[in-house]
Amino acid sequence: MSNPQDRRPPMSPPAGRPAVPPPPMGNGANGAPEQTRMVSAPRVAPPPAAQPRAAQPRAAAAAPAGQRPVAPPPPAPRAAQGGHRPVAPPPVAMPAQVAQQRGKRQLPPGQPTMAQIVRDAFDKGMSDIHAGVGETPRFRDRGQILPTNYPVTDKETFMCWLEEIMTPAEIVGFEEKLDFDGATQYEFARVRINVFDTLHGYALVMRLIPLKIMTMEQLNLPMVFRDVCHYHKGLILVTGPTGSGKSTTMAAMVDYINKEMPKNIITIEDPIEFVHKSQRSLIKQREVGINTRKFDNALKASLREDPDIILIGEMRDRETVNTALKAAQTGHLVMGTLHTNSAVKTIERVLSLYEPAEQESIRMSFAETLVGIIAQGLCRTTDGKRAAYHEIMINTDAIRDYIRRDEIEEIEEIVPRCTFDGMCSMNQSLYKLYEEGRITEETALECSPKPNEMAQILRGRV
């Protein structure tokens, strides 16, 4: 409705000219401003009776002569009509904006920060941190879960910890998917993170990774580990269960190549654990989810990035194995990991990814490209630390023939007899640690894949 204070008396027409009422939607007639062009209407308006009711702007039709025409307002809800401007609804915040608007939470009194817990675990030599809502944080020491004196964790404390180690976008993604894999770094250690949801609330596990990479000499690895690093092409597999030290062994091998050889090394990991700096070699590390969207895409792209060595964090599926075999056949040295306990089970796992009709050709390709398989585990030592024990299989001519003829069971018998090629069985590796006084008889029997055979070896020694 028009404001009464703005009404002015209509101007009288000049002498000799009949008074003509102003058109409802003029474009400048009677001094009307040009803003009336906002409404599309013909120059000569039709009679009101012929014009549809919905097309007649109420404000413009009711404007008296000489008054500024008002453009019709946009359609508004029924409650907004009657002369009041409709109020636009507030914009809907996206999940990332919601996370930014939350701000930093305040840690409840008496609760430690996550940085304090990580520092405590690192100073005590722990390998893992377990924390969850409704539980007290716990540490893993040489395979055993140990309690701590920290207070019980509530949800507010847990969310404060997540804000320490994750970005707002990562927290929103976790709350949507209820799973998160990632890593963060402190001044003294790098930490691999896994956050998940449980029956009693959120929980997390953090694996402490030292910033300093241990050398092969410090890890007491056999000399054959250096020999396989000098291959120009082929496939090297480091296998073992979770927490068996596969990443540490692979990092020591890459560190040896980095210091001794002028190579181009590309790693594809999920997530990156040990961080390498280019020395004599050029190292490019890529993390899935940050530096590349998909593992398979990064592996295929690495073939066009002029690599000498490709390190695969984990050979997960058939497509990854196909690409790894292709890279090994085309003149690259490929290093990867699998979650198997022995060399024979590793070969069976790779072949089981394929249909029976395809296994013959894959077995031939695998026999030609394989350099060696290193299966390892960790055992508690007498000096309060842990040591790695290995089963090492090198792909000699005899091993290659057994793989081609699908006589994989024979490999298990030939490995202990080929020590001159650098091979050894797990029982031989455990017995060597026992001879050196680093493990006890009970530990050797506990870690042995063949306890009866291990007992006979120990009985013969005694």
Side-chain angles (χ1 to χ4, degrees):
M1 301 296 295
S2 58
N3 191 346
Q5 297 179 358
D6 294 339
R7 295 181 178 177
R8 295 187 297 270
M11 298 177 61
S12 57
R17 183 176 298 178
V20 180
M25 300 300 294
N27 56 348
N30 295 331
E34 289 296 325
Q35 64 180 353
T36 55
R37 294 177 183 174
M38 296 173 57
V39 181
S40 59
R43 184 175 299 271
V44 179
Q51 187 175 0
R53 183 174 183 179
Q56 295 180 359
R58 181 177 300 176
Q67 181 181 349
R68 177 181 299 177
V70 180
R78 185 179 300 274
Q81 295 178 0
H84 300 285
R85 175 179 294 181
V87 179
V92 179
M94 301 303 291
Q97 297 174 352
V98 173
Q100 293 176 358
Q101 294 172 3
R102 288 176 179 172
K104 291 293 184 181
R105 292 180 171 86
Q106 295 295 328
L107 194 66
Q111 292 287 357
T113 64
M114 180 53 66
Q116 293 173 340
I117 297 177
V118 174
R119 184 74 205 194
D120 185 22
F122 179 80
D123 292 340
K124 294 179 179 178
M126 304 299 171
S127 61
D128 297 87
I129 300 171
H130 293 254
V133 176
E135 301 281 350
T136 59
R138 303 192 183 197
F139 296 156
R140 180 179 290 276
D141 177 29
R142 298 189 299 164
Q144 295 183 350
I145 296 292
L146 303 180
T148 64
N149 295 325
Y150 294 109
V152 176
T153 304
D154 54 18
K155 186 172 182 181
E156 186 65 23
T157 300
F158 190 89
M159 297 307 296
C160 290
W161 290 346
L162 292 189
E163 290 183 350
E164 285 189 50
I165 60 179
M166 297 166 61
T167 64
E170 290 173 341
I171 295 176
V172 172
F174 162 70
E175 291 177 339
E176 292 177 353
K177 300 178 181 178
L178 300 181
D179 285 292
F180 172 78
D181 276 311
T184 187
Q185 185 162 331
Y186 296 88
E187 295 180 357
F188 51 90
R190 185 170 175 84
V191 180
R192 189 180 69 191
I193 306 167
N194 182 269
V195 191
F196 54 98
D197 191 20
T198 70
L199 179 64
H200 302 291
Y202 295 160
L204 63 81
V205 178
M206 305 177 70
R207 170 68 55 85
L208 275 65
I209 304 169
L211 297 180
K212 184 179 179 181
I213 300 173
M214 299 184 68
T215 63
M216 292 189 184
E217 292 80 7
Q218 293 172 333
L219 295 174
N220 295 317
L221 298 181
M223 188 62 65
V224 68
F225 281 70
R226 298 170 181 80
D227 297 337
V228 298
C229 290
H230 286 274
Y231 277 75
H232 296 288
K233 63 179 180 178
L235 180 63
I236 301 173
L237 297 177
V238 180
T239 70
T242 302
S244 59
K246 299 186 298 296
S247 300
T248 304
T249 300
M250 294 272 285
M253 297 172 69
V254 172
D255 183 66
Y256 173 77
I257 297 173
N258 186 25
K259 294 177 180 177
E260 301 293 334
M261 309 175 200
K263 303 286 187 178
N264 180 25
I265 305 173
I266 297 177
T267 73
I268 307 169
E269 305 170 72
D270 183 20
I272 293 175
E273 297 185 0
F274 291 90
V275 179
H276 300 268
K277 293 183 179 180
S278 298
Q279 300 184 37
R280 194 174 179 187
S281 294
L282 176 63
I283 298 184
K284 301 168 185 174
Q285 295 182 264
R286 306 187 67 188
E287 181 170 333
V288 178
I290 297 178
N291 309 119
T292 180
R293 299 301 180 191
K294 293 184 178 180
F295 191 92
D296 299 333
N297 294 346
L299 183 56
K300 292 178 181 178
S302 65
L303 300 177
R304 300 185 293 272
E305 294 163 1
D306 188 31
D308 295 302
I309 299 173
I310 303 174
L311 187 145
I312 304 173
E314 182 180 348
M315 299 179 66
R316 309 167 180 236
D317 49 27
R318 171 176 171 174
E319 187 173 1
T320 304
V321 174
N322 280 337
T323 310
L325 290 175
K326 179 181 177 181
Q329 291 173 339
T330 54
H332 305 91
L333 182 63
V334 180
M335 304 172 68
T337 64
L338 280 173
H339 289 89
T340 50
N341 298 326
S342 66
V344 171
K345 291 181 180 179
T346 301
I347 300 174
E348 293 175 347
R349 172 71 61 83
V350 171
L351 296 178
S352 66
L353 297 174
Y354 298 87
E355 299 295 333
E358 301 174 318
Q359 291 186 3
E360 180 68 22
S361 60
I362 295 301
R363 190 164 52 247
M364 295 298 177
S365 300
F366 189 74
E368 292 298 328
T369 58
L370 183 65
V371 172
I373 299 175
I374 301 170
Q376 76 172 45
L378 291 178
C379 60
R380 298 167 62 91
T381 58
T382 55
D383 59 354
K385 299 181 181 179
R386 290 198 293 179
Y389 57 95
H390 308 90
E391 180 185 32
I392 303 173
M393 188 205 78
I394 304 300
N395 192 21
T396 60
D397 293 338
I399 299 292
R400 188 176 296 109
D401 288 338
Y402 282 129
I403 297 176
R404 287 172 179 169
R405 297 199 300 264
D406 197 15
E407 298 177 359
I408 302 176
E409 294 79 7
E410 302 294 333
I411 297 176
E412 193 171 358
E413 302 297 330
I414 197 176
V415 165
R417 301 197 300 265
C418 297
T419 55
F420 54 90
D421 290 320
M423 302 191 204
C424 71
S425 66
M426 283 192 175
N427 280 347
Q428 289 174 327
S429 180
L430 287 169
Y431 184 70
K432 183 179 179 181
L433 293 174
Y434 171 76
E435 280 188 321
E436 295 173 353
R438 301 185 63 189
I439 62 174
T440 62
E441 292 185 17
E442 292 77 11
T443 302
L445 291 171
E446 179 184 354
C447 298
S448 172
K450 298 180 179 180
N452 293 334
E453 180 184 308
M454 189 76 243
Q456 294 177 3
I457 296 175
L458 293 173
R459 191 179 303 115
R461 174 64 178 174
V462 173

